[in-house]
Amino acid sequence: MLKPTNVSLYLKATSQVVSNNIKPLHPNVVITKKLVTPTPQLSLTSFTLSKTLPLGNVRVISGPAVSTQVRWAHTDINVPDWSQYRRDSVKSSVAKSSESEDSRKNFTYLIAGAGTVTAAYAAKAVVTQFVSSMSASADVLALAKIEIKLAEIPEGKSVTFKWRGKPLFIRHRAADEIATEQAVPVSSLRDPQHDNDRVQRPEWLVVIGVCTHLGCVPIANAGDFGGYYCPCHGSHYDASGRIRKGPAPLNLEVPFYEFPDETTLVVG
Amino acid sequence: MAANITKITFFRATATRGLATCPPVPIGGLTEYEIKNTTLPNNLVVASANNESPISRISIVVRAGSRNETPDNAGVTHTLRICAGLSTKNSTQFAITRNIQQVGASLTCSSDREVVAYTLEGTKQAIEKTLPFLTEVATQQVFRPWEVAENVPRQRLELALRSPQLRAIDLLHKAAFRRGLGNSLYSAKYQLGNISSETLQHYVASNFTTGRTAVVGLGVDHSQLVNYAQGLSLETGEGSTTPSPYIGGEIRSDKGGNLAFVAIGGAGGALKDTKERLAFAVLQRALGIGPQVKWGTTDNGVLSKAVGGDVQYAISAVNASYSDAGLFGTLIAAPSASAGKIVEAVVKVLKGGALSDADVNRGKNQLKTSVLLDSESGSNIIGCIGSQAALVGSAQSGSQIAAAIDSVSTADVNA
C-alpha cells in the first residue's frame, strides 16, 4: 500500500555495500548468461546508412529452414587437458613449432624404426614357432637314429634292425670276405662301386635291406655270391651289398652312419 | 537415359524451330504482364499473372496481421510466422521441410501489420509436387505445444537481431496508432513462451476465413489457380477488423549506440483512397529516400537539401499506407550530437514547405521507376500483389500503377 509516509522510500534507491544479512533487500537470484548474437554491420558512409532505412511498410519474412535457425552449440563440453601427452618443446603457446620440428620428427622416426625392426623379429619368431610345430615331433625324430653296440654282433653274422620303417642290415665281415669283395673288378659290376666306397671300416657293412628292384627284403647269407638273395625275383647281392645277378638295377643303399667310439655305431 | 534422349534430340529440335519465330523471353520472365482478378462466391480473391518466368510463385495471403492482435494475445502473429512449417493435420514438420527442400522449392511466411502471407516458390514441377504442402502449412496447422515451445529461442534471436531503424519505425507506429496498427510486428519479450497452442488455434480460426484470404500466383495459369483456390478448406466469413485511426504521440527509447534514430510522422494516405495514396507516395520520393545513384553521395531530395551539411547522416521519407489509415513522415539517422539540428530542419520542411513542379516530377519518375523495377522481380512483386489482393480486392500490374502515377499533379502533392 502506497501510504504517504512510505513515498519517501520510493524516492531513493539503496544498495548494501557490506551486508550483515539481518535486513535483506532482495531475495537471492541467479543471473543467467546473456544470449550471443552476431554483431550487425557498421554503416560508415551516408550511402550505406541510407540504404538501411526502411521506407514505410515493413514486412518480416521467415520460414521453415529459412532466414533464422537456432542451432544448439554445446558450450558445456569440456575439452580435456592433453598437456600430459604433449611434447615439452611445443607446450608453450609462444613456441614456434618449426624450430623443434626436426628433433621431434627424428625422435618419432627413430622410435618407429626401432619398433618396426623389433616387431619384425618377433613376428618371425612367432611364425616360425607355429610353422615348425607342424614338422616331425620329438618321438619321430628320436626314431630317426639308431645306436647299435658292435660287440654284440659276432663275426660273419648279418643282423637286421628296423630303422625308419626299413630293415637295416649290419654285417660283421670276416677278413676273407673283405678280401674277396675288394678284389672284384669294378668294371664288371652293373652298378660300379668299389667296396672301399661303400664301407667306412671294411669289417662293418651297413646297408638298407630293401631290394632295389621292387622293394622286397633280401635274405642274408644266401645267394651265389656269399651275400644277400632276394627271393621275389632272384636278385643276388654280394657281401658288399652290390648287385651281381638278377633284375635289380642298383646296389643296396648305404645310409649315413658314423662310429662315435670303438664299440658303437650310429646310423642316421 | 530414355528421358535424356527425348530431351535432347528430337523434341528440342522441334521446340527451338517453333520458338525461333517468337522474341526470346527474359530469364526473369516478362516485364509487361496483365494481372487477372477473380473473386469467388465465398469472397476469396484470386489474382494471378503469367509472366512466363521459369520460377512459379504461389502465395496464400490472409488478413491476419499484427493489427488484429488484442492485449490478451499480443505477439501471436510473430509466433504464427515463426511456427510456419510446423506439423499439420496430414504432415509432420520433417516431411514438409524435406519434401520441399528435396525438389528445390522454398516456403516462406511473411507478416506485416495487415497480412500474413505463405509463399511457395519453385520451378513448375517443384510447385506441382509441393503445392499440397502449401495448403497444409497455410490452412491445416495444428500447433503442437512442444513444437511451438521449441521455437521460442528462434523468436528470441529475431528480437535480438532487430536493427534500431526497425525499432524506430515500430515505435513510430505505436505512437501514431496506439492499438491496432500500433501493435509491433514482433512479440514483446515478456510474451515469449506465453502464447499457447490454443491461442494460436483460436487466432487462426477467427482470422483465416475465406472473406479475408487471397490466393495469388505468378507464372501460373489463372484457371488452374482458381480451381486450386476453390479446393481450399477454409471457414467462410468476413471476420472483424477494428478500425485503427491515427492518434499521435511521442515515444523515446534509450538503447545506447552512437547513432540516433528519429522517426517523425503524421497521418498518411489509406489504400482505399487511391488519389491520396499515390500523392503520398510521390511526396515520399520527392522529399528523398537517400542517394538513388549507386555509391552516390548526393541526395537530391528536398529534405536533404534543407539539412545540407557534411556530417554523416541519412534521411529518408517514410510512407506506409494501410487499408483504412496511413502514416507519413521521415526517419533520420544521425550521430547524437548533430541529431537535434537535423530534426529541426526536417520539421520545418514538413510543416511548411511547398514543392516545386521539378521536385514533384522527380518524385513521380522515381516512383514509377521503382514500381516498374519491382515488378520485374517476381520475388518482390508477389508480396505486393498479395497485399493488394487481400486488402483491396484486386491487384494492379506495375504498368497500370505507373500510368496512374502519371495522373498525380503537383497540387495533389502539395495539399
Side-chain angles (χ1 to χ4, degrees), chain B residues 154-401:
Chain B
R154 199 174 158 189
Q155 283 181 290
R156 233 182 272 277
L157 182 68
E158 282 206 351
L159 287 180
L161 288 176
R162 284 177 301 174
S163 58
Q165 298 88 324
L166 204 60
R167 288 189 209 223
I169 296 285
D170 241 8
L171 290 174
L172 179 68
H173 279 82
K174 192 169 190 66
F177 298 106
R178 311 286 169 79
R179 294 258 146 261
L181 285 168
N183 287 331
S184 168
L185 288 171
Y186 294 92
S187 165
K189 279 202 188 116
Y190 56 82
Q191 277 286 72
L192 289 179
N194 284 346
I195 305 284
S196 66
S197 169
E198 285 83 20
T199 318
L200 285 160
Q201 281 166 357
H202 180 74
Y203 188 77
V204 165
S206 50
N207 282 308
F208 280 48
T209 58
T210 55
R212 300 169 74 89
T213 313
V215 176
V216 179
L218 209 58
V220 294
D221 183 37
H222 189 69
S223 44
Q224 282 181 352
L225 195 64
V226 170
N227 282 341
Y228 168 70
Q230 277 166 342
L232 283 181
S233 58
L234 287 168
E235 305 276 322
T236 46
E238 271 294 327
S240 62
T241 311
T242 47
S244 189
Y246 174 84
I247 301 171
E250 175 180 326
I251 298 182
R252 288 170 185 257
S253 169
D254 292 321
K255 293 269 188 233
N258 53 355
L259 287 175
F261 295 89
V262 182
I264 308 163
L271 281 180
K272 52 188 185 206
D273 189 356
T274 321
K275 210 145 100 53
E276 284 271 318
R277 161 168 62 103
L278 288 174
F280 270 108
V282 171
L283 179 61
Q284 180 193 19
R285 293 306 202 275
L287 287 179
I289 50 171
Q292 291 300 295
V293 176
K294 202 146 183 154
W295 305 119
T297 44
T298 44
D299 176 8
N300 284 326
V302 174
L303 286 175
S304 197
K305 284 197 200 134
V307 174
D310 48 2
V311 183
Q312 182 218 12
Y313 66 88
I315 301 184
S316 165
V318 163
N319 175 36
S321 292
Y322 302 107
S323 45
D324 59 349
L327 191 64
F328 185 85
T330 56
L331 178 59
I332 304 159
S336 32
S338 42
K341 200 167 51 75
I342 297 177
V343 167
E344 280 172 14
V346 163
V347 166
K348 214 159 43 152
V349 169
L350 285 179
K351 278 204 169 137
L355 299 174
S356 64
D357 269 342
D359 288 328
V360 170
N361 273 334
R362 214 189 94 258
K364 275 161 61 169
N365 287 335
Q366 284 195 355
L367 184 60
K368 268 196 292 190
T369 318
S370 73
V371 163
L372 290 170
L373 281 175
D374 257 358
S375 68
E376 280 185 12
S377 158
S379 55
N380 288 340
I381 204 65
I382 189 81
C384 295
I385 298 179
S387 304
Q388 286 178 49
L391 299 173
V392 179
S394 67
Q396 292 181 309
S397 72
S399 35
Q400 286 173 315
I401 299 177

Side-chain angles (χ1 to χ4, degrees), chain A residues 35 37-38 43-47 49-66 68 70 72, chain B residues 81 84 101 108-112 154 156 160 165-166 169 284 289 291 293 295-296 312-314 316 318-319 322 331 383:
Chain A
L35 283 177
T37 54
S43 307
L44 295 174
T45 61
S46 308
F47 176 76
L49 190 56
S50 73
K51 285 294 161 221
T52 62
L53 301 181
L55 292 181
N57 198 359
V58 176
R59 195 187 308 144
V60 191
I61 306 179
S62 65
V66 168
T68 52
V70 178
W72 306 107
Chain B
R81 171 172 58 80
Q101 282 184 336
T108 53
C109 174
S110 79
S111 74
D112 68 10
R154 199 174 158 189
R156 233 182 272 277
Q165 298 88 324
L166 204 60
I169 296 285
Q284 180 193 19
I289 50 171
V293 176
W295 305 119
Q312 182 218 12
Y313 66 88
S316 165
V318 163
N319 175 36
Y322 302 107
L331 178 59

Side-chain angles (χ1 to χ4, degrees), chain B residues 43-88:
Chain B
N43 283 339
L44 196 137
V45 177
V46 181
S48 84
N50 192 359
N51 62 348
E52 298 194 28
S53 151
I55 302 280
S56 302
R57 299 176 158 94
I58 298 188
S59 191
I60 299 180
V61 187
V62 187
R63 280 209 296 259
S66 62
R67 73 177 289 172
N68 303 295
E69 286 177 13
T70 62
D72 299 329
N73 60 10
V76 69
T77 38
H78 186 195
T79 316
L80 184 66
R81 171 172 58 80
I82 291 281
C83 292
L86 295 184
S87 297
T88 63

